[in-house]
Amino acid sequence: MVFDRDRVKGIAADPIAHARVAREQTGRPVIATLSSWAPHEVIEAAGGTEVRLPAPDGGAMQGNRARAHLQAASCFLCQGALEAGLDGSLDFVDAVLFVQTCDAQQNLSDIFKIAVPSIPVLDMYMPVNRTSRGAAAYLEKEIERVCRDLGAITGKTPGPDELGSALDARREQVDALSALYGSRIEADGLVPAMDFYSVCVASSCLPPSQAAPIARSLVEDIRSKAAVRECPVERSCMLVGSTLPYPGLYELFDRIGVAVRDDDLSLGRRLFDHPVPAGGSPVERIARGMLDRSSGATKFDDGLVRGSGLLRAARRAGVKHVVMPVLKFCDPWAWDFPAVRDRLEAAGMGMLLLELAGGEDLAAGTIRNRVEAYFEMGSVGDLFDG
Amino acid sequence: MGKPVDRIRAFDLLKGVMKRHYTWAKVYGKLGGKVAWVTSGAPVELLLPFGIYPVYPESHGAICAARRMSPELMEVVEKRGYSQDLCAYALSDIGHAITGKSPVGGLPRPDLLFCCTNICGTVLKWYQALAEHFRVPLVMVDTPFIPDETTCAAPVAVPPHSVTFVKKQLGEAVESFERITRKSYSERKLRKVLDRSREAMNLWKAVLETGKHHPAPMTCFDAFILLNPIVTVRGTSGCVRFYRKVLDEMNRRAAVKKGRVPDERLRLVWDNIPVWYKMKDLSTFFSERGVCLVADTYTNAWADNEIREGEPLDAMAEIYTGIFLNRGLRSRADVLARLVRKYEADGMILHSNRSCKPYSFGQYDALRLAHESTGKPGFILEADHVSPRHWDDKRVFNGLQTFLESFG
Ligand code: SF4
Ligand code: SF4
């Protein structure tokens, strides 16, 4: 399969529009989600298609109806999701599934129920204390409940067979995305960072059977180009943070010639950063997969030193710079920034924090200037290092 | 009409209780005892049988804010890269941990940290930062949030699998405390502590309920101050003794119709944490206008849940998961409406607390729901519990004045 850049980019530019068309054409129920912790396999097994909120370009914020429900100090992701519900952009979705991962999102779920009564809302709690010996049993019960709740929406309550098949499909997808990320260093300067982002967004809103071949086709594309590489990219970085539904940032890196060699983002590596466990019932395997995932800022893993996993990942990717885009009023990631920065700096790495209000043009203006200035200085630092 | 002129004698007692608490906390550590820093919603009873002395950064944060020291503490932390939008309790507490500055001599260095997510997710991040700063163990209890049903409030009963999960973590916390103190768990001791907690909470509830009298013998501004022992020394006999005396005093005042606000003409309910650095100004403003804030959702949170008798860890898992802030929006609006009815209030003031998202998200809808249910109007007061950065006297007091005038 040839990598169809335009098609994938089109899906990534507006996954909501894509999901709407797919809903009309296939009749498959659409379940909107807001977090990478959503139980993807359960949605698939219940016969649903997942789509992540809000629209990646922040276009959902044309109006400001959400402000009648949310205080000004709320993150753009929550505002955008609610706005999309209020302005009718989501009138085709069959339900919204909130996985309660932060204070904002857990309250947003209840606000959504009141503000957008036409769309059913489902809830799931993802344990924060993942190292407790009680976490797995708790999560299994939550998954079983979500199976029932989703079944009531889609008309198909998934049993062990459906969940088992969904896990197999998921494994395919995880393998394909892992292979794709494995080729990122190879891809320096050959394919735009935007391609990786587009594949990740498409993977978050296509059934795994369609998403996996797309990831594979990009791997092929990279390999075919690797033979004719002319000059290596000199500047590279890794991205870390919560959701980054902004193609503009990737465009910016492509334009200024900084290779993005890896990320720890909700619409990036965190989509697939855990193996699909073998052994046990499907519900046990799904729960174990979620508990074994990399941590993120909203979870507690006893004994974990914040920033240590990221430092390992940055070393693995061979980067000296980490860029952390954080949405304004996103508490969990704002909390982690100083700890992560200190750890990276102690190891001789640089870190750039980009606080984003949401909806701004990232490929131009102040953000572009800051990123450019940072990497100009970073390059000088690299020269001295060498 | 005018300022509250009479004194509540319990405040003098309170000074003694709190002074003893802070002094003893310092001495305790020096004598080799273990000290824990604890979140206000944590199941603190679990620490006492191990002889672990709990201190509360949130209570200390309130004192720092009331004495206007918080901006200085927050600045230190913001310079280190923390966003000024984060919970101001947490920022000023970390500032205190770094600098040692405090208006009351500060908190003793912790031997461990104990946090529970039933009030918010922020406490996890805050306590992680403290654990890294002090290099001490962090014991945490994760209490699954109880969202609303689609069209009605969250179920009253905590889901059984949540109780099982929380109970398991309480057991794990016990194991940690055993390791840290080298003492064994004693269910007998825990039951005794829980008995005292139950008694203190019942007394606190009775104290707050004296606000049902017309005129009310106390305001929520008094409650914000008198609350301190139920948070910090809950589970001790000193706490029980203190609230017995407070209750006596309030009952006596009520019996002779001694109102806290001279010529009480309007009764309101407060929602959210107080604006600590403006308590006096707000209290005076309302009092001068004959307005009594008769109840509030914040101090009520320590009165609303009775720890049932029975297997202690089961009972604690249930009660600590089902608290006010760990429930959905409709449930919180229900509490607000219930307080309006119970205390025969004329309206509501909702403090939209900028840096406390769990308490403030959804307040616009909570106000609409509470208004639909009671027919009473409300006012959203935009501020922050600790940081005066966004406070504007003119804007707030003009807004409040207009709201009060709407009652005629
Ligand atoms: S994790 Fe951050 S960006 Fe995501 S919903 Fe919560 S506050 Fe918003
Ligand atoms: S965010 Fe709110 S509930 Fe959490 S610690 Fe701060 S003030 Fe308390």
Side-chain angles (χ1 to χ4, degrees):
Chain A
M1 179 177 165
V2 177
F3 180 63
D4 186 344
R5 182 165 285 113
D6 289 342
R7 175 172 172 257
V8 179
K9 217 173 155 182
I11 297 172
D14 197 347
I16 303 278
H18 169 80
R20 181 186 285 277
V21 172
R23 177 77 179 85
E24 278 161 16
Q25 287 173 351
T26 65
R28 240 176 111 91
V30 173
I31 309 298
T33 62
L34 204 66
S35 161
S36 63
W37 293 99
H40 318 294
E41 303 86 345
V42 179
I43 296 174
E44 165 79 7
T49 304
E50 184 179 348
V51 64
R52 288 284 289 278
L53 295 176
D57 63 355
M61 288 305 292
Q62 295 307 322
N64 65 350
R65 300 168 192 80
R67 287 286 290 111
H69 301 272
L70 287 174
Q71 59 166 190
S74 38
C75 79
F76 184 72
L77 196 67
C78 287
Q79 290 183 37
L82 185 58
E83 191 65 33
L86 289 165
D87 72 8
S89 311
L90 302 180
D91 57 5
F92 68 99
V93 309
D94 296 83
V96 182
L97 170 60
F98 286 95
V99 181
Q100 288 140 4
T101 51
C102 68
D103 292 336
Q105 216 171 119
Q106 86 193 6
N107 276 304
L108 181 66
S109 154
D110 288 336
I111 295 171
F112 206 98
K113 287 167 199 158
I114 293 167
V116 194
S118 55
I119 302 178
V121 172
L122 311 178
D123 292 293
M124 176 176 165
Y125 187 82
M126 173 66 209
V128 174
N129 186 359
R130 298 191 306 165
T131 37
S132 164
R133 296 192 296 276
Y138 171 81
L139 187 52
E140 285 162 24
K141 291 267 184 244
E142 277 294 277
I143 291 168
E144 282 163 6
R145 189 177 55 71
V146 172
C147 282
R148 290 191 296 276
D149 291 353
L150 273 169
I153 300 286
T154 62
K156 181 179 163 192
T157 301
D161 290 347
E162 290 85 4
L163 290 170
S165 308
L167 273 161
D168 291 342
R170 174 88 184 137
R171 193 203 305 266
E172 278 271 297
Q173 189 183 9
V174 165
D175 289 349
L177 284 167
S178 302
L180 176 62
Y181 265 58
S183 70
R184 275 197 100 135
I185 295 177
E186 239 181 291
D188 273 7
L190 297 176
V191 296
M194 188 63 192
D195 281 359
F196 287 89
Y197 169 76
S198 304
V199 170
C200 285
V201 176
S203 299
S204 74
C205 65
L206 286 173
S209 57
Q210 292 174 35
I214 290 177
R216 289 224 173 76
S217 66
L218 181 54
V219 177
E220 288 306 312
D221 192 56
I222 292 164
R223 294 216 171 116
S224 67
K225 286 176 177 153
V228 293
R229 176 195 294 279
E230 279 171 7
C231 56
V233 171
E234 282 171 8
R235 301 186 300 180
S236 59
C237 73
M238 178 172 165
L239 294 176
V240 58
S242 58
T243 303
L244 184 63
Y246 301 114
L249 199 62
Y250 294 88
E251 269 165 28
L252 167 56
F253 285 115
D254 287 335
R255 268 195 227 163
I256 64 173
V258 174
V260 179
R261 282 201 177 154
D262 202 350
D263 70 58
D264 185 7
L265 294 169
S266 162
L267 267 176
R269 184 176 275 282
R270 288 210 297 278
L271 282 169
F272 66 91
D273 62 350
H274 59 285
V276 176
S281 74
V283 169
E284 285 166 1
R285 290 167 64 201
I286 295 169
R288 207 151 12 102
M290 293 175 87
L291 292 172
D292 287 348
R293 265 184 56 173
S294 71
S295 195
T298 56
K299 300 286 167 277
F300 172 71
D301 294 287
D302 197 13
L304 174 91
V305 180
R306 287 184 299 162
S308 52
L310 191 61
L311 178 59
R312 272 197 304 279
R315 283 187 172 138
R316 198 174 54 223
V319 298
K320 287 194 168 171
H321 303 284
V322 172
V323 179
M324 187 190 252
V326 172
L327 284 178
K328 191 156 172 64
F329 305 119
C330 171
D331 285 2
W333 287 95
W335 269 111
D336 268 5
F337 164 68
V340 171
R341 178 206 53 202
D342 290 352
R343 182 146 295 272
L344 292 175
E345 285 183 356
M349 293 191 190
M351 181 149 190
L352 173 65
L353 175 76
L354 294 177
E355 193 184 59
L356 306 174
E360 60 264 82
D361 181 0
L362 299 179
T366 3
I367 299 283
R368 178 178 175 140
N369 293 343
R370 279 198 62 203
V371 174
E372 269 185 324
Y374 175 83
F375 279 99
E376 291 305 325
M377 283 161 51
S379 304
V380 173
D382 287 345
L383 278 179
F384 280 117
D385 286 350
Chain B
M1 286 184 239
K3 290 182 192 177
V5 278
D6 65 323
R7 247 198 99 57
I8 290 197
R9 268 182 290 168
F11 287 151
D12 298 329
L13 289 176
L14 177 71
K15 264 191 207 143
V17 171
M18 295 321 295
K19 194 165 172 214
R20 266 197 304 283
H21 168 66
Y22 282 114
T23 312
W24 182 230
K26 284 226 179 81
V27 174
Y28 197 75
K30 286 192 184 127
L31 293 175
K34 302 282 184 205
V35 173
W37 286 20
V38 180
T39 58
S40 64
V44 63
E45 289 85 358
L46 219 46
L47 293 167
L48 302 189
F50 290 97
I52 302 173
Y53 200 91
V55 295
Y56 290 82
E58 287 153 81
S59 296
H60 179 249
I63 297 171
C64 293
R67 308 268 185 100
R68 312 207 173 185
M69 187 185 254
S70 309
E72 180 188 339
L73 298 173
M74 290 167 69
E75 212 172 289
V76 173
V77 187
E78 286 164 16
K79 279 200 183 119
R80 295 196 176 198
Y82 287 94
S83 160
Q84 54 171 257
D85 298 321
L86 295 170
C87 167
Y89 265 162
L91 293 182
S92 60
D93 177 56
I94 297 172
H96 153 65
I98 293 168
T99 62
K101 284 188 184 166
S102 155
V104 285
L107 301 178
R109 194 182 193 286
D111 298 289
L112 72 146
L113 303 158
F114 188 32
C115 99
C116 180
T117 58
N118 56 359
I119 52 170
C120 64
T122 285
V123 291
L124 170 64
K125 308 311 295 177
W126 171 4
Y127 277 55
Q128 274 178 332
L130 289 175
E132 284 160 17
H133 175 77
F134 288 116
R135 297 177 187 277
V136 294
L138 166 58
V139 179
M140 77 96 64
V141 176
D142 173 15
T143 46
F145 186 73
I146 312 171
D148 290 331
E149 305 288 355
T150 299
T151 52
C152 56
V156 177
V158 178
H161 66 301
S162 296
V163 176
T164 309
F165 178 36
V166 176
K167 185 180 172 189
K168 185 83 188 169
Q169 294 176 79
L170 295 177
E172 289 164 351
V174 163
E175 289 167 19
S176 299
F177 302 153
E178 285 186 324
R179 260 196 314 278
I180 291 166
T181 61
R182 295 169 197 272
K183 289 182 185 162
S184 307
Y185 168 64
S186 156
E187 188 178 312
R188 185 185 55 78
K189 284 187 186 168
L190 179 60
R191 282 182 188 275
K192 205 163 170 190
V193 172
L194 285 171
D195 286 345
R196 289 194 208 115
S197 263
R198 195 177 296 119
E199 194 177 352
M201 283 162 90
N202 285 337
L203 286 164
W204 177 237
K205 187 176 182 178
V207 168
L208 293 180
E209 286 180 345
T210 60
K212 289 197 287 186
H213 290 278
H214 294 248
M218 62 184 277
T219 71
C220 76
F221 296 107
D222 301 319
F224 293 149
I225 297 167
L226 294 170
L227 170 80
N228 220 324
I230 197 82
V231 180
T232 51
V233 290
R234 187 168 76 241
T236 66
S237 43
C239 183
V240 173
R241 279 197 303 276
F242 173 73
Y243 285 114
R244 266 198 209 119
K245 289 181 182 150
V246 180
L247 182 59
D248 279 351
E249 183 177 0
M250 292 307 155
N251 279 337
R252 274 199 309 275
R253 291 173 65 97
V256 295
K257 294 202 171 297
K258 189 167 189 180
R260 181 65 165 142
V261 167
D263 304 321
E264 177 186 298
R265 68 169 184 97
L266 207 64
R267 295 161 68 87
L268 301 175
V269 169
W270 175 276
D271 181 49
N272 212 313
I273 303 172
V275 185
W276 291 114
Y277 52 93
K278 281 286 169 185
M279 281 254 289
K280 199 157 168 256
D281 293 355
L282 283 164
S283 164
T284 305
F285 174 87
F286 287 117
S287 184
E288 282 176 349
R289 289 156 181 78
V291 179
C292 185
L293 280 103
V294 286
D296 72 281
T297 56
Y298 176 60
T299 60
N300 187 67
W302 279 267
D304 237 6
N305 302 300
E306 190 175 329
I307 306 172
R308 68 167 168 78
E309 314 234 356
E311 207 286 312
L313 295 187
D314 258 329
M316 289 172 80
E318 236 172 64
I319 212 73
Y320 280 100
T321 308
I323 69 162
F324 173 74
L325 269 185
N326 205 38
R327 289 178 172 277
L329 177 54
R330 279 183 191 272
S331 311
R332 300 206 302 271
D334 277 0
V335 172
L336 192 54
R338 185 155 49 80
L339 291 180
V340 167
R341 277 192 289 269
K342 180 170 166 182
Y343 289 85
E344 296 176 316
D346 305 290
M348 300 159 268
I349 307 254
L350 287 80
H351 167 204
S352 171
N353 186 348
R354 185 179 162 92
S355 76
C356 176
K357 298 183 178 69
Y359 217 144
S360 310
F361 258 52
Q363 267 179 323
Y364 301 146
D365 286 298
L367 174 55
R368 274 189 283 271
L369 292 169
H371 171 68
E372 273 164 31
S373 143
T374 62
K376 304 295 181 191
F379 176 80
I380 302 258
L381 189 161
E382 306 273 355
D384 187 87
H385 59 310
V386 168
S387 168
R389 208 174 257 137
H390 300 278
W391 178 274
D392 172 356
D393 265 341
K394 210 168 146 195
R395 174 180 54 81
V396 174
F397 289 115
N398 284 348
L400 283 172
Q401 183 64 38
T402 311
F403 175 61
L404 296 183
E405 281 163 11
S406 70
F407 290 92

